[in-house]
Amino acid sequence: MTAPALPAAAAAPPGCRHCGAPLPVDGAPTARFCCAGCAAARATVEGLGLDRFYDRFVSDAALRPLRPDPDAHVDAAAFARDRGDGTATIHLMVDGLHCAACIWLIESVLARDPRVVHARVNMTTRRLVVHWRGAPELADSVLAPVARLGFALAPFDPTCLADAGSEEERRLLRSLAVAGFAAANVMLLSVAVWSGHDTGMGIATRDLMHWVSAAIALPAIAYAGRSYFAGAFRALSAGRTGMDVPIAIGVTLASAMSLFETIRSGPYAYFDSAITLLFFLLIGRYLDHRARGRAREAAGHLLALRVHAVTVKNADGSVERRPADRVRPGATVLVAAGERIGVDGSVTAGRSEIDTALVTGESMPAAAAPGTAVFTGTVNLSAPLTVRVTATGEGTLLSEIVRLMEAAEHGRSRMVALADRVARRYAPVVHVTALATFLAWWLGVGAPWQEALLYAVAVLIITCPCALGLAVPVVQIVASGGLMRRGVLLKSATALERLASADTVVLDKTGTLTLGRPRLLDEPGRDPADLAAAARLAAVSRHPLALALMASIDRPVAAADPVVEHPGKGLSWTGPDGEWRLGSRDFCGVVAAESDTPELFLTRAGRAPVRFAFADTLRADAADTVARLLRAGLRVMLLSGDRAPAVARAAAAAGIGEWRAATDPAAKVAALGELAQAGRRVLMVGDGLNDAPALAAASVSMSPAGAADVSQAAADVVFQGQALAPVAETIDVARAAARRARENLTLAVAYNLCAVPLAALGYVTPLVAAVAMSSSSILVIANALRLARGARR
């Protein structure tokens, strides 16, 4: 494992001496770095080496604030598990992760221990997974180096994932509100000053306007710009530049010059430029932070399906409730009807039906009998079951799906936005240009330093990356607003960009291409009396096929009484004319050819059996949407966990030529991996728990609003309604948004290429620079609004 290169570390928000990131939200003071990861990366880059760094870190007083509170300690051994192959494993949540350097440091320090065979950290969920040779009791000694580096370790709890992020989000929102309020009021005062410039406004009136603007703007700038000022100071202290530096310098000089001019009753004051700049940039930072926070929710929603306690039957026959992660393989667990299963295992006694929709994505319950495998997160529907445990905690299928999601998200998080790449080269050019302008006018031309500083401030203001910073976010805002009015919610800041580049659409079947609800098929010659008779039995059941049968009845029917429900088989009722049965062909004693569609049979004494066939219905516009996607040049595939005949019928009805059946979550991820290796950029559309890893693994993902919570959390886009058309419409909007974003970036760059020389030559005052900077932003916004007009058309 090698240290991360400096550009990778620079992708974090500017601040500390290595990456420029601001201090953690909790305000813990550090002398030089925002985190231990940055301190290690800097030391490695400077040739100190990881071993020497570690020894120095744990004893350096200057780095003491990065080390943990001696009272903060977790008994790691209590949460470690024996893997059964001579190794042990532990899953913990790491608090204090700031950037990629932190991940590299933790993994590198753990890799130094010869006992450790695997150590991985996921930035999104902050989960640390470690495998080592030896007993679980060695956990504390294995993890001791991580604790000494100042990273707080705690049992992995999805409810704690968003705590730190939510506090940062609230801080940004408060700063944004303050900056917006001040910008609106100061701009009104500035408009009055600008208008009075040509209409003979008195000096006293103008000065009053300036003082009022200062009273509003300066406190707001000090509050809203804290992160920029702190980030610029630390970046400059480390000999680096970033986007925060020109912003902080421009805002500070503009504010100081404005205050100086106001004190001496001068004509120029630029409070409006400073506070408006902060307001626009805070919008972009807030949107970016909120988008990153969404990613952390996916695994949290998924892990919420875990059952915290299960009913264990001991060898002596006694029964006790025990935490699911404390149950060992081989134990016997009792699962009541209606209870969510908390372990992976095999049924040893009882017959029931299992709602596996969250795992398989299929709406039909699966029969459970002795020998049937059951999984964590599924629901036992109709009768008690006895289950022998095969896996708990991190060994369950549910946890494996979480790991698949985390691995996929880790790969996708490496994408770097174009604006960030431009900004790394842009900021140093701005600084050098402003400094050269000042020196050229002061030393070269011989102008007074005040005038030279005025021109330098004009360069900083006119080159402040407001338009550049707005180029992409404003398009996202306009596009997401238009899509939201259509019932489409964008959850990721980069979803539009990735949708625009997608060239392959992979659809799930049940709940995505179809509605996910069984529907009774019409059969010629069916006697309505037979349907009414079947409904009398079905009225007492909550089985999906019984509910579908009841939904087809257009008038109320009286339920038979008493009806006996036979779990996994059907319903029976004994009346004056004998026994009636409604259920499977075996239960009803029907001998007929096997069918590949769901079915129920009604048998009554002295009458021929009546068959009721069901099918999952395609969304009404599924075929039209698939045809539209194909016309747009997209490759369309169908992946489903259902049986091959059902998948083949659905694919043919929708006009899809490529399909795969019986694909479990790992197979779906593998299929997407094959497409990615072939150079395809895949849009995955799915709705079930089994689709969640594929949604995370795809280049971009969509999910219907009726999907499982975890699928919605993993998806980049969620769409409302019964139609599939939003998939094609969102791609169209994304492609148009990509064009607008490129146009905006071109406008922003062209503006700077034209404006900077004029400012450096002294043809632009800070006042004109502020107007030009604001105008460039308005131009970018106006171009983005064309997207909304096109969407309405």
Side-chain angles (χ1 to χ4, degrees):
M1 188 173 297
T2 60
L6 279 174
C16 83
R17 293 191 63 184
H18 174 66
C19 72
L23 295 179
V25 175
D26 59 11
T30 65
R32 290 169 288 184
F33 303 101
C34 70
C35 60
C38 286
R42 172 64 67 178
T44 304
V45 169
E46 294 176 351
L48 181 64
L50 184 60
D51 292 336
R52 291 177 59 195
F53 159 77
Y54 183 80
D55 294 336
R56 171 179 157 188
F57 181 85
V58 297
S59 61
D60 192 339
L63 297 175
R64 186 173 295 114
L66 293 176
R67 295 196 293 275
D69 181 348
D71 296 330
H73 176 71
V74 60
D75 182 11
F79 301 95
R81 296 289 180 270
D82 191 336
R83 302 181 70 198
D85 58 357
T87 64
T89 184
I90 193 169
H91 292 245
L92 295 172
M93 189 166 68
V94 184
D95 192 16
L97 291 178
H98 290 274
C99 58
C102 296
I103 295 177
W104 164 79
L105 176 60
I106 292 174
E107 294 176 352
S108 298
V109 168
L110 289 173
R112 296 165 65 232
D113 190 331
R115 296 173 296 179
V116 174
V117 296
H118 173 84
R120 290 292 294 169
V121 181
N122 182 272
M123 186 70 176
T124 297
T125 60
R126 290 179 272 166
R127 181 201 287 234
L128 167 64
V129 182
V130 185
H131 304 328
W132 66 89
R133 300 182 187 89
E137 289 74 20
L138 298 175
D140 287 308
S141 64
V142 169
L143 296 170
V146 179
R148 294 195 195 102
L149 289 172
F151 297 100
L153 301 176
F156 187 79
D157 184 356
T159 61
C160 300
L161 285 175
D163 288 349
S166 60
E167 174 59 29
E168 172 70 8
E169 183 175 311
R170 286 192 294 268
R171 187 186 66 81
L172 284 173
L173 192 58
R174 288 194 297 267
S175 297
L176 180 61
V178 170
F181 173 81
N185 286 276
V186 173
M187 188 60 71
L188 289 175
L189 295 169
S190 298
V191 169
V193 173
W194 297 342
S195 301
H197 181 73
D198 295 325
T199 57
M201 175 184 285
I203 294 178
T205 304
R206 183 197 65 198
D207 290 347
L208 176 62
M209 296 289 187
H210 286 172
W211 278 113
V212 175
S213 296
I216 297 174
L218 292 179
I221 289 170
Y223 180 84
R226 289 174 300 168
S227 60
Y228 293 104
F229 298 143
F233 175 77
R234 290 176 175 82
L236 291 174
S237 299
R240 298 181 60 255
T241 58
M243 287 289 283
D244 281 359
V245 175
I247 294 171
I249 294 176
V251 169
T252 301
L253 290 179
S255 302
M257 180 68 76
S258 300
L259 183 60
F260 178 75
E261 286 287 298
T262 301
I263 292 173
R264 63 186 292 269
S265 191
Y268 300 113
Y270 319 111
F271 298 113
D272 54 339
S273 300
I275 190 62
T276 303
L277 173 66
L278 279 178
F279 174 64
F280 281 122
L281 291 175
L282 281 168
I283 291 176
R285 180 163 289 188
Y286 174 77
L287 291 176
D288 177 69
H289 185 274
R290 185 159 178 81
R292 288 198 307 267
R294 292 285 186 180
R296 295 191 182 98
E297 296 176 2
H301 282 286
L302 183 57
L303 292 172
L305 295 174
R306 283 181 173 174
V307 177
H308 296 291
V310 295
T311 302
V312 179
K313 183 178 181 180
N314 297 318
D316 60 1
S318 63
V319 175
E320 64 173 323
R321 294 286 286 179
R322 191 182 302 172
D325 58 358
R326 294 293 184 184
V327 178
R328 300 297 182 185
T332 299
V333 170
L334 304 180
V335 184
E339 183 179 4
R340 190 175 296 277
I341 299 173
V343 297
D344 284 6
S346 177
V347 176
T348 59
R351 292 181 177 272
S352 183
E353 291 180 313
I354 305 296
D355 180 0
T356 62
L358 290 174
V359 173
T360 65
E362 302 307 316
S363 56
M364 294 298 302
T372 301
V374 293
F375 303 99
T376 301
T378 57
V379 179
N380 179 25
L381 291 178
S382 51
L385 291 174
T386 301
V387 176
R388 181 171 298 279
V389 179
T390 58
T392 62
E394 297 301 329
T396 62
L397 174 65
L398 189 65
S399 296
E400 177 61 25
I401 292 176
V402 173
R403 287 190 285 273
L404 287 169
M405 290 175 60
E406 290 179 347
E409 288 174 354
H410 179 72
R412 190 171 67 190
S413 66
R414 299 179 185 273
M415 297 181 65
V416 180
L418 175 61
D420 291 335
R421 296 196 296 269
V422 172
R424 286 199 294 269
R425 295 164 177 81
Y426 178 82
V429 174
V430 171
H431 305 151
V432 172
T433 303
L435 179 60
T437 300
F438 175 75
L439 295 176
W441 280 97
W442 183 34
L443 301 178
V445 180
W449 71 268
Q450 294 92 339
E451 183 179 347
L453 182 60
L454 198 68
Y455 296 145
V457 169
V459 171
L460 282 173
I461 292 176
I462 208 166
T463 56
C464 276
C466 193
L468 184 62
L470 282 173
V472 177
V474 73
V475 171
Q476 292 175 341
I477 292 172
V478 173
S480 62
L483 289 172
M484 187 175 296
R485 287 190 289 272
R486 303 183 189 187
V488 178
L489 173 65
L490 297 177
K491 297 175 55 188
S492 169
T494 60
L496 284 173
E497 179 184 352
R498 288 181 279 125
L499 275 167
S501 64
D503 55 19
T504 302
V505 178
V506 175
L507 299 168
D508 176 49
K509 182 181 77 70
T510 304
T512 302
L513 191 66
T514 69
L515 293 175
R517 297 190 299 269
R519 177 182 61 88
L520 179 65
L521 297 177
D522 294 328
E523 293 186 12
R526 177 188 291 154
D527 188 345
D530 291 337
L531 182 59
R536 293 188 62 193
L537 275 68
V540 302
S541 175
R542 303 303 298 172
H543 191 282
L545 294 185
L547 296 176
L549 191 148
M550 292 300 299
S552 67
I553 300 294
D554 55 5
R555 64 182 186 277
V557 295
D561 184 49
V563 174
V564 178
E565 184 161 7
H566 304 268
K569 298 179 180 180
L571 306 163
S572 65
W573 173 68
T574 302
D577 54 353
E579 185 182 44
W580 291 13
R581 288 193 173 192
L582 179 69
S584 67
R585 64 178 60 223
D586 293 337
F587 177 66
C588 295
V590 176
V591 178
E594 288 292 333
S595 172
D596 57 9
T597 61
E599 61 184 4
L600 291 176
F601 282 89
L602 173 66
T603 56
R604 292 164 292 183
R607 300 189 187 186
V610 180
R611 179 176 181 266
F612 300 96
F614 301 83
D616 195 0
T617 307
L618 284 179
R619 292 180 185 261
D621 64 339
D624 291 339
T625 300
V626 170
R628 181 175 173 182
L629 293 172
L630 293 172
R631 287 195 302 270
L634 294 161
R635 177 182 175 185
V636 181
M637 296 180 60
L638 180 63
L639 294 182
S640 175
D642 205 351
R643 296 167 297 173
V647 177
R649 281 197 308 272
I656 300 175
E658 297 182 70
W659 56 270
R660 296 186 190 180
T663 52
D664 59 16
K668 289 188 177 183
V669 172
L672 296 185
E674 294 172 5
L675 292 171
Q677 290 179 357
R680 313 295 296 190
R681 293 179 294 275
V682 181
L683 163 62
M684 175 69 197
V685 187
D687 75 310
L689 175 58
N690 63 319
D691 298 317
L695 291 170
S699 300
V700 62
S701 54
M702 297 183 68
S703 180
D709 289 344
V710 63
S711 295
Q712 292 189 39
D716 299 300
V717 183
V718 175
F719 60 92
Q720 306 280 342
Q722 301 296 319
L724 195 62
V727 174
E729 293 172 356
T730 305
I731 293 176
D732 290 342
V733 171
R735 290 180 172 180
R739 291 193 296 271
R740 295 292 175 265
R742 287 192 294 269
E743 292 168 359
N744 279 353
L745 287 171
T746 302
L747 288 171
V749 172
Y751 154 77
N752 282 282
L753 291 177
C754 296
V756 172
L758 295 175
L761 293 173
Y763 293 111
V764 178
T765 66
L767 177 61
V768 175
V771 174
M773 184 268 293
S774 300
S775 298
S776 67
S777 301
I778 292 172
L779 185 62
V780 165
I781 293 172
N783 185 57
L785 290 175
R786 294 172 54 209
L787 182 65
R789 291 194 293 271
R792 284 195 293 270
R793 285 196 297 269

